[in-house]
Amino acid sequence: MTESAAHRESLPFDSTAHLLARVTAQLGTQLRHVSLNGTRRPMTPPPPPPPPSRPSAPPTLVAVAHGSRDPDALRTVTALLERVRELRPGLDVRLGHIELNEPLLTDTLAGLHRGRGGDAVLVPLLLGRGHHVKHDLPQAAATAPHLRTRVAVPLGPHPLLVEALYDRLTEAGWQASDTAHPGSGVVLAAAGSRDPESTADTRRTAALLSERLGGVPVVPAYASAASPTVPEALRALAARGRHRAAVASYFTAPGRFAAQSAAAAPWIAAAPLGTHPALARLLLLRYDQALAGRSLTPRHHLAAA
């Protein structure tokens, strides 16, 4: 017997079974790295999926007030923004003034998301398309190139403002019987602007208020920069036999112009719109409209402006 034959006889009886088992195990290992379409899978396991990202915060609402030396103005606007926060919990709501009061709008924007950028919507607490809305707000936004901003359209005209004006008139003493009184009339006292679009907005609000009052004449008038003045509008109503004239205050907060207009009233004078709930809802509506694309200026990164 040769040496190789003797070696074969010395192999264990189940060596063939062991060999098949080893081949099967190796084949199974290789198949785990091959996908169904025949491509080879990586030998290392894929990295775990990243944790779900937290939803980004909504843009900051920056309410822009004109500013006034009357201390009641700042208190009123601050209380109004508290109503806004109650209506939209979690929304970052800030205040900035064009002039006369702190914080100034430029300071509010400079401190907003400092060093890390962010989004903001400037919502003017102004009632028409005047110089402040068209020029001052975009210029202030340009001083904060770290922010992406929108400038919302002004509050007026809008039916929510009309409801607030009507409520303020009834609080001052207007009654249902005054609607039918042949001598009744209303002067809608506004701040005034040289911009014709601003005066057109005030006239539109006056027409809407007249409808809300059942057809009572409502004459727009202005405390500055436009005509007629409040006294002139009152005389025009008197010339038409409307001696029972009320003054509706088309101002967002107390101030010199609001007080001056109220002082001219021969009968009742309504308070400014102030913290009326409709005004808070309208602020949020203008904010939402700006996010949806309706804004004074398109969204832009002002660093390139």
Short mmCIF file of all heavy atoms in Angstrom, two decimals, residues 230-257:
data_model
loop_
_atom_site.label_atom_id
_atom_site.label_comp_id
_atom_site.label_asym_id
_atom_site.label_seq_id
_atom_site.Cartn_x
_atom_site.Cartn_y
_atom_site.Cartn_z
N VAL A 230 -60.38 117.68 10.87
CA VAL A 230 -61.56 117.23 11.61
C VAL A 230 -62.57 118.37 11.77
O VAL A 230 -63.78 118.16 11.52
CB VAL A 230 -61.14 116.64 12.97
CG1 VAL A 230 -62.36 116.33 13.82
CG2 VAL A 230 -60.31 115.37 12.76
N PRO A 231 -62.17 119.58 12.18
CA PRO A 231 -63.16 120.66 12.25
C PRO A 231 -63.83 120.95 10.91
O PRO A 231 -65.04 121.22 10.86
CB PRO A 231 -62.35 121.86 12.74
CG PRO A 231 -61.20 121.25 13.50
CD PRO A 231 -60.87 120.01 12.74
N GLU A 232 -63.07 120.89 9.83
CA GLU A 232 -63.66 121.13 8.51
C GLU A 232 -64.68 120.05 8.16
O GLU A 232 -65.75 120.36 7.60
CB GLU A 232 -62.56 121.18 7.44
CG GLU A 232 -61.68 122.42 7.51
CD GLU A 232 -60.47 122.34 6.61
OE1 GLU A 232 -60.14 121.23 6.12
OE2 GLU A 232 -59.82 123.39 6.38
N ALA A 233 -64.38 118.80 8.47
CA ALA A 233 -65.33 117.72 8.19
C ALA A 233 -66.59 117.87 9.02
O ALA A 233 -67.70 117.61 8.54
CB ALA A 233 -64.66 116.37 8.46
N LEU A 234 -66.45 118.30 10.27
CA LEU A 234 -67.61 118.51 11.12
C LEU A 234 -68.49 119.63 10.56
O LEU A 234 -69.73 119.53 10.56
CB LEU A 234 -67.17 118.84 12.55
CG LEU A 234 -66.58 117.67 13.34
CD1 LEU A 234 -65.89 118.18 14.60
CD2 LEU A 234 -67.68 116.66 13.69
N ARG A 235 -67.88 120.69 10.08
CA ARG A 235 -68.66 121.79 9.48
C ARG A 235 -69.36 121.33 8.20
O ARG A 235 -70.50 121.74 7.93
CB ARG A 235 -67.75 122.99 9.20
CG ARG A 235 -67.29 123.72 10.45
CD ARG A 235 -66.72 125.09 10.11
NE ARG A 235 -65.46 124.98 9.40
CZ ARG A 235 -64.26 124.93 9.99
NH1 ARG A 235 -64.17 124.95 11.33
NH2 ARG A 235 -63.15 124.86 9.28
N ALA A 236 -68.68 120.45 7.44
CA ALA A 236 -69.31 119.94 6.21
C ALA A 236 -70.54 119.10 6.55
O ALA A 236 -71.57 119.18 5.85
CB ALA A 236 -68.30 119.13 5.42
N LEU A 237 -70.46 118.29 7.61
CA LEU A 237 -71.62 117.52 8.03
C LEU A 237 -72.75 118.43 8.51
O LEU A 237 -73.94 118.21 8.19
CB LEU A 237 -71.23 116.54 9.15
CG LEU A 237 -70.53 115.25 8.72
CD1 LEU A 237 -70.06 114.48 9.95
CD2 LEU A 237 -71.45 114.37 7.87
N ALA A 238 -72.40 119.47 9.26
CA ALA A 238 -73.41 120.40 9.76
C ALA A 238 -74.11 121.09 8.61
O ALA A 238 -75.33 121.35 8.67
CB ALA A 238 -72.77 121.41 10.71
N ALA A 239 -73.37 121.41 7.54
CA ALA A 239 -73.98 122.06 6.39
C ALA A 239 -74.99 121.15 5.71
O ALA A 239 -75.89 121.63 5.00
CB ALA A 239 -72.89 122.47 5.39
N ARG A 240 -74.87 119.86 5.94
CA ARG A 240 -75.83 118.89 5.39
C ARG A 240 -76.92 118.55 6.40
O ARG A 240 -77.70 117.63 6.19
CB ARG A 240 -75.09 117.61 4.99
CG ARG A 240 -74.06 117.82 3.87
CD ARG A 240 -73.05 116.68 3.78
NE ARG A 240 -73.67 115.37 3.60
CZ ARG A 240 -72.99 114.22 3.57
NH1 ARG A 240 -71.67 114.23 3.74
NH2 ARG A 240 -73.62 113.08 3.39
N GLY A 241 -76.98 119.29 7.50
CA GLY A 241 -77.99 119.05 8.52
C GLY A 241 -77.62 117.97 9.51
O GLY A 241 -78.46 117.53 10.30
N ARG A 242 -76.37 117.54 9.48
CA ARG A 242 -75.91 116.48 10.37
C ARG A 242 -75.21 117.11 11.58
O ARG A 242 -73.99 117.16 11.67
CB ARG A 242 -74.97 115.54 9.63
CG ARG A 242 -75.58 114.89 8.39
CD ARG A 242 -76.51 113.75 8.79
NE ARG A 242 -77.17 113.16 7.62
CZ ARG A 242 -77.86 112.03 7.67
NH1 ARG A 242 -77.97 111.35 8.81
NH2 ARG A 242 -78.45 111.55 6.59
N HIS A 243 -76.02 117.60 12.50
CA HIS A 243 -75.46 118.28 13.68
C HIS A 243 -75.13 117.30 14.81
O HIS A 243 -74.41 117.67 15.74
CB HIS A 243 -76.45 119.34 14.17
CG HIS A 243 -76.72 120.41 13.17
ND1 HIS A 243 -75.86 121.46 12.94
CD2 HIS A 243 -77.78 120.59 12.30
CE1 HIS A 243 -76.35 122.25 12.01
NE2 HIS A 243 -77.52 121.74 11.59
N ARG A 244 -75.68 116.12 14.76
CA ARG A 244 -75.40 115.11 15.79
C ARG A 244 -74.23 114.25 15.29
O ARG A 244 -74.38 113.11 14.85
CB ARG A 244 -76.65 114.25 16.01
CG ARG A 244 -76.59 113.33 17.23
CD ARG A 244 -77.90 112.56 17.36
NE ARG A 244 -77.90 111.62 18.45
CZ ARG A 244 -78.14 111.94 19.72
NH1 ARG A 244 -78.39 113.21 20.05
NH2 ARG A 244 -78.12 111.00 20.66
N ALA A 245 -73.04 114.82 15.38
CA ALA A 245 -71.87 114.21 14.77
C ALA A 245 -70.94 113.62 15.83
O ALA A 245 -70.63 114.26 16.83
CB ALA A 245 -71.10 115.22 13.92
N ALA A 246 -70.52 112.40 15.57
CA ALA A 246 -69.55 111.72 16.44
C ALA A 246 -68.20 111.65 15.73
O ALA A 246 -68.12 111.70 14.49
CB ALA A 246 -70.04 110.31 16.77
N VAL A 247 -67.15 111.54 16.52
CA VAL A 247 -65.80 111.39 15.97
C VAL A 247 -65.32 109.98 16.28
O VAL A 247 -65.25 109.57 17.45
CB VAL A 247 -64.83 112.44 16.56
CG1 VAL A 247 -63.39 112.13 16.11
CG2 VAL A 247 -65.23 113.84 16.12
N ALA A 248 -65.04 109.22 15.24
CA ALA A 248 -64.45 107.89 15.38
C ALA A 248 -62.94 108.02 15.27
O ALA A 248 -62.42 108.64 14.33
CB ALA A 248 -64.98 106.96 14.29
N SER A 249 -62.23 107.45 16.23
CA SER A 249 -60.78 107.61 16.32
C SER A 249 -60.07 106.52 15.54
O SER A 249 -59.99 105.37 15.99
CB SER A 249 -60.36 107.59 17.80
OG SER A 249 -58.99 107.87 17.93
N TYR A 250 -59.54 106.88 14.38
CA TYR A 250 -58.85 105.91 13.53
C TYR A 250 -57.36 105.94 13.84
O TYR A 250 -56.51 106.24 12.99
CB TYR A 250 -59.12 106.25 12.06
CG TYR A 250 -58.86 105.12 11.08
CD1 TYR A 250 -59.19 103.80 11.40
CD2 TYR A 250 -58.31 105.37 9.83
CE1 TYR A 250 -58.98 102.77 10.50
CE2 TYR A 250 -58.11 104.36 8.92
CZ TYR A 250 -58.42 103.06 9.26
OH TYR A 250 -58.22 102.04 8.36
N PHE A 251 -57.04 105.64 15.09
CA PHE A 251 -55.67 105.60 15.58
C PHE A 251 -55.48 104.30 16.36
O PHE A 251 -56.38 103.85 17.07
CB PHE A 251 -55.38 106.79 16.50
CG PHE A 251 -55.55 108.13 15.85
CD1 PHE A 251 -56.75 108.83 15.96
CD2 PHE A 251 -54.52 108.70 15.13
CE1 PHE A 251 -56.92 110.06 15.37
CE2 PHE A 251 -54.68 109.94 14.51
CZ PHE A 251 -55.87 110.63 14.63
N THR A 252 -54.30 103.72 16.26
CA THR A 252 -54.07 102.46 16.96
C THR A 252 -53.84 102.67 18.45
O THR A 252 -54.05 101.75 19.25
CB THR A 252 -52.86 101.72 16.37
OG1 THR A 252 -51.72 102.58 16.37
CG2 THR A 252 -53.15 101.28 14.95
N ALA A 253 -53.40 103.87 18.86
CA ALA A 253 -53.07 104.10 20.26
C ALA A 253 -53.28 105.57 20.59
O ALA A 253 -53.36 106.42 19.69
CB ALA A 253 -51.63 103.69 20.54
N PRO A 254 -53.39 105.91 21.87
CA PRO A 254 -53.51 107.32 22.25
C PRO A 254 -52.29 108.12 21.80
O PRO A 254 -51.20 107.59 21.63
CB PRO A 254 -53.60 107.26 23.78
CG PRO A 254 -54.03 105.88 24.10
CD PRO A 254 -53.44 105.01 23.03
N GLY A 255 -52.50 109.40 21.63
CA GLY A 255 -51.42 110.29 21.23
C GLY A 255 -51.96 111.68 20.97
O GLY A 255 -53.15 111.96 21.16
N ARG A 256 -51.06 112.56 20.54
CA ARG A 256 -51.45 113.96 20.34
C ARG A 256 -52.54 114.10 19.30
O ARG A 256 -53.52 114.83 19.49
CB ARG A 256 -50.22 114.78 19.94
CG ARG A 256 -50.52 116.26 19.67
CD ARG A 256 -49.24 117.04 19.54
NE ARG A 256 -48.45 116.62 18.40
CZ ARG A 256 -48.54 117.14 17.17
NH1 ARG A 256 -49.44 118.11 16.94
NH2 ARG A 256 -47.77 116.73 16.20
N PHE A 257 -52.40 113.43 18.16
CA PHE A 257 -53.39 113.57 17.10
C PHE A 257 -54.75 113.02 17.54
O PHE A 257 -55.80 113.60 17.22
CB PHE A 257 -52.93 112.85 15.84
CG PHE A 257 -51.84 113.58 15.10
CD1 PHE A 257 -51.06 112.92 14.15
CD2 PHE A 257 -51.58 114.92 15.34
CE1 PHE A 257 -50.06 113.59 13.46
CE2 PHE A 257 -50.58 115.60 14.66
CZ PHE A 257 -49.82 114.93 13.72
#
